[in-house]
Amino acid sequence: MATVVMVFLAVVVLFGLVAFHALIVRNQTRIDTLNAEIADSVRARQELQLAVAQLEAPDRISAEAIGRLGMIKPAGVTYLEPLSAEAAADVVPVSSGSDIEAGDDVTSVDNNERTSEEAPEGRG
Amino acid sequence: MAPRAAGPRPAPYDPGRRIAVMILALVIVAAALVVQMVRIQVFDRERYVAWGEEQRSRSVVLTGDRGDLVDRHGETLAVSMPNPVIWVDPRLVVDPVGQAEALAPVLGREAADIAEILDDDGLFRYLQRPSDPETARAIEALTDMPGVFVTEEPARFRPNGTLARSVLGSTDVDQIGISGIERQYDSSLAGVGGRMMSERSIDGRTIPDSERIIEPAEQGADLRLTIDRALQFQVERSLIDTVEAENAEGGMVVITEPATGEILAMASVARNADGEVVTTPDNRAVTWTYEPASVMKALTFAAVIDSGLASPTTVAAIPDTVNLYEESFTDDELFGTRSMTPTDIIVRSSNTGTVIWARELGATALDEYLRAFGLGTATGLDFPGESAGLFDQVEDWSGTSIASISLGQGISVTPLQMLAAYNTIANDGLYVAPRLVAEVSSEAGSERPQAPPARRVIDAESASAVRNMLTRVVVDGTARRALVPGYDIAAKTGTAQKPQEGGGYTDSFGAYHYVATVAGFFPSEHPQFSMIVVIDEPAPEIYASRVSAPLFGELAAWTLRHFQVSPDTDLVFDESAAGPDEAGVD
C-alpha cells in the first residue's frame, strides 16, 4: 500500500513539475509578446510624435491657411481699449431691446485713438 | 516415420558463444560511446558549449536614440526615428545583373551601378542609406531577391523643414553632429547603445529561466532651446521677403531677451546659385563679421556719458568736417558749425560730432569700453565657427583709428556681438552673454547650461541716458521707419561700406557695396526684447533707415503681439510721423 502511495505521489509531483514548467513557458511567451507590443507602441508613438510635429509646422499651417482656406495676412492690428467703469455703465445692453442691428459697431472704443495703422512705409 | 539422414551430426547449439559475440559488440559500442562522450564532454567540451550557446543565444543591439531638439515651448525641432536602410550581402546574390535590373526602378538608380555593388567581393554593402518606408516596402515586395535586405537604423528628422537650419545644424548618416547645435552639443545629444543577450529556442521563443544579460542603452539628452518656433518662422519669412524686395545678397536677424540673453530667433538668409533667397546652413549671425558703421555710435556715446565727459544735453560746437592726419571726416549734410548735444548727434547720426567726442574720450578709454561691451571677444555662446570679430589692440591703432572705430569702421563684429552690446544698454549697463540652450534634460535630470556671469560695463544712469537717446532716434531721427504704434522703440541705424576682396571699398568696377544695419530694443523704458537687422548689399537703395528699419518695425510689432505685450495707453500714434525722415538717412 505504501508503495502505491509513493508511486502515486511521485506521479503527482512529476505532473506538477510538468504543469509548472508549462506555466513558465506560457508566461515567458506572454512576456515576449508584451515586449514586442511595447516595442511596436514605442515605435508608433515616435511616428505619431513626428506626424504631429509635421502637422504643426508653421510653414505647413501657413501654406494651408493661404492656399486652401484663402486667408490673407492682415494689413494691421486693431487694439481695443477696455472700458472704464463709468463708461461701461453707460453702455446699453443689447438685450434691452435697443435698435442695435446686426453689423452695428456696438463697442465704445475710440478707434481714432487706439487703432493701430500700418507702420510707416506699409510694412506693418 | 521418415528415415533420419545419414552423416555427421551438427555441432550442438552453443548460446554462450553467441552471447559472447553480442557482449563483445555491445562493449565495443559502449566503448565507442564512452570514447565519444569523453571526447565531447572532456576534450571538445569548450567547442560544444560554445556551439550550443551560439545556437541558443540571441544578441539584440539596443539603440540609444539621439536626443530631441525642442523650442522654448517644447515644440519639436529635430527628432530621431528608426528609418529603413537597404543593404546587400553579395555572397548570397544569385544573379547580379537580373536582380539589379529589378532593383533599378525601385531605387531610382542605374542598373549597372547596382549590379556593380551586387557583384562585390565583400560581405556587406549599402544599396541605399538612408532609405524611406515606401522604398523599403517596395524592396520587400520584390520576389526572388536573395542577398538583399532591409533593416532599420536611427535617422534625424526635422518636421519644420529648413526652419532654423543655421542654428540647429545637421548630422551625418551615422548620427554624428557636424554643424550647429547638433555639433556643439553632440556629446550630450548622442545616445550610448546597449545590448540584450538572451537564450532562444529554435522557434525564436525565449527559453524560460535562461541566462539573460542586459546592458541598457542610454538615451541622448533632449535640448530645449531658447528659440521660439513661431517667431523664428516669422523672422525667416519676413527677412526673405525684405532681401528679395531690396535686391540684396542676404541678411541676418537676431532677436533676444536682453535680461536673460536668451536668443528667441536667429535667422540668416542668402541668395543661392539660382538667385533664390534661402536660409543658409551657415549661422552667419555668429560666423560672419562686418564693419557695423553708425550703430557703433551708441556704444561710443555710452562710453562718453559713463566716463562723465558729457551728458545727453551737453552742448558743443560741431563742425561739418574734421580733419585728422590725412583723412577728413564729414557729415552727409554740410552745415558749417553748429551747436549740438550728444542726443542731437545720435539722432542725426553725425560723424563729426561722434569723432569730436571720441577724441575727448581718448583711445585707451574707448578701447576699454568697447572691449567691455564684448567687441573683439566671442560672446560665450561657443557656437561652432563663432567669430570674435577683428579689433586691433590699442597699441596698434593709427592716428585716425579713434575716429574710424568710434564710427564703426576699421573694426569688425558679428551681428550677435553688436546685439549683445546693445543688450548691455537695455540691461542698465550689465553685459549678459547670449544663450541658445535653456535646458539639457537626460535620464539623470535637467540642468541649465552655464553661461559666463553678467558683468557691469556702464552704470545704470548712463545706460538709461543712452536708451532715451536711442528712443529719440526712432521718434525724430534716422530710424523712424522702425516705429511701432503704441510702443516706445529704441534703435540706431548704420549703413556701412563693405570692404572688398583685395582691399579697399570699391570693386573692380569702382562701385561701393553696403551693409545696412538697425540695432535696438523695445519697449525702450523697460526693454523686453532686442533685435538686430542686417541687410547685406541692398541695391539700389542702400540706407539702413530705408532698407532695414521697416523690417525692424515689422518684426518688433510682431514680437510684441506674439508675446502679448500691451501697447502703452499714453502713446497715441501720430499719423504725421509716417512721413519721410526728418533727420536725414543713415
Side-chain angles (χ1 to χ4, degrees), chain B residues 530-584:
Chain B
S530 62
M531 186 191 324
I532 187 165
V533 174
V534 181
I535 304 297
D536 184 24
E537 297 197 30
E541 185 59 75
I542 60 167
Y543 288 109
S545 53
R546 293 173 179 164
V547 171
S548 306
L551 178 59
F552 188 103
E554 175 189 339
L555 291 176
W558 203 94
T559 304
L560 290 161
R561 208 160 57 231
H562 179 60
F563 287 96
Q564 300 184 343
V565 178
S566 300
D568 187 339
T569 51
D570 294 332
L571 287 174
V572 179
F573 178 50
D574 177 6
E575 291 194 17
S576 66
D581 299 324
E582 292 176 338

Side-chain angles (χ1 to χ4, degrees), chain B residues 174-477:
Chain B
D174 292 317
Q175 295 280 284
I176 297 171
I178 54 175
S179 64
I181 287 288
E182 296 273 20
R183 177 179 167 189
Q184 186 181 356
Y185 283 87
D186 188 59
S187 59
S188 299
L189 286 165
V192 179
R195 188 173 64 106
M196 183 177 75
M197 181 86 80
S198 61
E199 294 186 349
R200 302 267 175 154
S201 62
I202 198 163
D203 59 356
R205 297 173 189 274
T206 304
I207 297 173
D209 202 25
S210 59
E211 186 180 19
R212 172 178 285 209
I213 302 169
I214 298 178
E215 297 170 6
E218 290 179 26
Q219 305 299 310
D222 295 334
L223 260 59
R224 186 165 64 82
L225 305 186
T226 60
I227 294 289
D228 181 291
R229 184 177 67 170
L231 181 60
Q232 178 76 25
F233 173 73
Q234 185 63 31
V235 166
E236 288 183 5
R237 189 165 66 170
S238 297
L239 180 58
I240 287 172
D241 288 348
T242 296
V243 168
E244 283 177 343
E246 300 296 346
N247 193 32
E249 287 299 309
M252 288 135 272
V253 171
V254 185
I255 301 177
T256 69
E257 229 177 44
T260 61
E262 292 187 352
I263 296 170
L264 302 174
M266 184 152 58
S268 311
V269 305
R271 289 190 186 277
N272 62 16
D274 299 327
E276 186 185 2
V277 182
V278 296
T279 53
T280 61
D282 175 26
N283 189 359
R284 301 175 75 207
V286 298
T287 62
W288 184 78
T289 62
Y290 74 115
E291 295 185 353
S294 295
V295 290
M296 179 72 86
K297 290 171 183 169
L299 309 187
T300 300
F301 274 100
V304 168
I305 292 169
D306 190 66
S307 62
L309 283 175
S311 74
T313 55
T314 303
V315 178
I318 305 297
D320 59 19
T321 303
V322 173
N323 294 312
L324 202 57
Y325 296 91
E326 295 174 351
E327 284 195 42
S328 288
F329 295 87
T330 63
D331 278 351
D332 289 338
E333 180 190 359
L334 296 179
F335 48 75
T337 298
R338 63 182 170 193
S339 297
M340 296 175 79
T341 64
T343 301
D344 296 333
I345 293 169
I346 284 286
V347 167
R348 295 174 180 275
S349 199
S350 166
N351 292 334
T352 54
T354 306
V355 169
I356 283 172
W357 279 112
R359 293 183 70 194
E360 285 290 318
L361 180 66
T364 303
L366 181 64
D367 175 78
E368 288 174 356
Y369 270 108
L370 295 185
R371 289 188 191 282
F373 273 116
L375 307 191
T377 310
T379 61
L381 196 65
D382 287 337
F383 198 86
E386 182 181 5
S387 173
L390 292 172
F391 188 11
D392 288 340
Q393 296 297 320
V394 68
E395 305 85 52
D396 299 327
W397 287 14
S398 70
T400 58
S401 289
I402 189 168
S404 57
I405 288 173
S406 69
L407 300 175
Q409 294 173 333
I411 180 174
S412 69
V413 301
T414 66
L416 184 63
Q417 272 182 314
M418 183 51 73
L419 186 60
Y422 269 68
N423 282 351
T424 306
I425 298 169
N427 282 333
D428 278 339
L430 277 179
Y431 179 93
V432 177
R435 59 164 65 229
L436 254 175
V437 178
E439 192 175 47
V440 180
S441 302
S442 66
E443 292 166 354
S446 299
E447 65 175 14
R448 186 174 170 84
Q450 292 291 316
R455 62 172 190 271
R456 180 156 295 284
V457 178
I458 57 177
D459 62 38
E461 291 75 24
S462 304
S464 176
V466 178
R467 282 203 301 272
N468 291 334
M469 293 163 70
L470 292 175
T471 306
R472 288 284 306 281
V473 175
V474 177
V475 175
D476 298 322

Side-chain angles (χ1 to χ4, degrees), chain B residues 474-492:
Chain B
V474 177
V475 175
D476 298 322
T478 56
R480 296 189 68 194
R481 286 181 169 90
L483 188 146
V484 179
Y487 299 91
D488 270 332
I489 308 287
K492 181 73 187 79

Side-chain angles (χ1 to χ4, degrees), chain B residues 77 160-169 227 232 236 266 279-280:
Chain B
L77 298 174
N160 303 288
T162 60
L163 184 81
R165 68 188 291 211
S166 59
V167 175
L168 304 182
I227 294 289
Q232 178 76 25
E236 288 183 5
M266 184 152 58
T279 53
T280 61

Side-chain angles (χ1 to χ4, degrees), chain A residues 21-33 35 42-63 66 73-82 111-124, chain B residues 65 68 75-76 79-84 152 157-160 163 200 204-209 212 229-230 233-234 237-238 241-242 245-246 480-481 483-487 546-547 550-551 553-554 557 561 565 567-573 575 577-579:
Chain A
H21 186 73
L23 189 66
I24 291 174
V25 170
R26 195 179 69 176
N27 285 341
Q28 184 61 56
T29 304
R30 175 78 175 142
I31 290 170
D32 286 353
T33 305
N35 280 334
V42 168
R43 171 68 182 271
R45 185 185 64 82
Q46 287 178 317
E47 288 177 351
L48 289 171
Q49 183 187 5
L50 180 62
V52 167
Q54 287 170 332
L55 289 170
E56 288 179 342
D59 194 30
R60 191 199 74 85
I61 292 173
S62 176
I66 295 169
K73 288 175 67 178
V77 177
T78 301
Y79 292 98
L80 303 179
E81 187 178 4
N111 283 316
N112 291 328
E113 181 177 295
R114 298 308 315 154
T115 298
S116 163
E117 303 293 344
E118 281 188 274
E121 298 297 303
R123 285 187 177 275
Chain B
D65 288 341
D68 296 346
E75 305 290 355
T76 303
V79 64
S80 286
M81 288 267 300
N83 194 57
E152 288 187 329
F157 292 90
R158 290 178 181 76
N160 303 288
L163 184 81
R200 302 267 175 154
R205 297 173 189 274
T206 304
I207 297 173
D209 202 25
R212 172 178 285 209
R229 184 177 67 170
F233 173 73
Q234 185 63 31
R237 189 165 66 170
S238 297
D241 288 348
T242 296
E246 300 296 346
R480 296 189 68 194
R481 286 181 169 90
L483 188 146
V484 179
Y487 299 91
R546 293 173 179 164
V547 171
L551 178 59
E554 175 189 339
R561 208 160 57 231
V565 178
D568 187 339
T569 51
D570 294 332
L571 287 174
V572 179
F573 178 50
E575 291 194 17

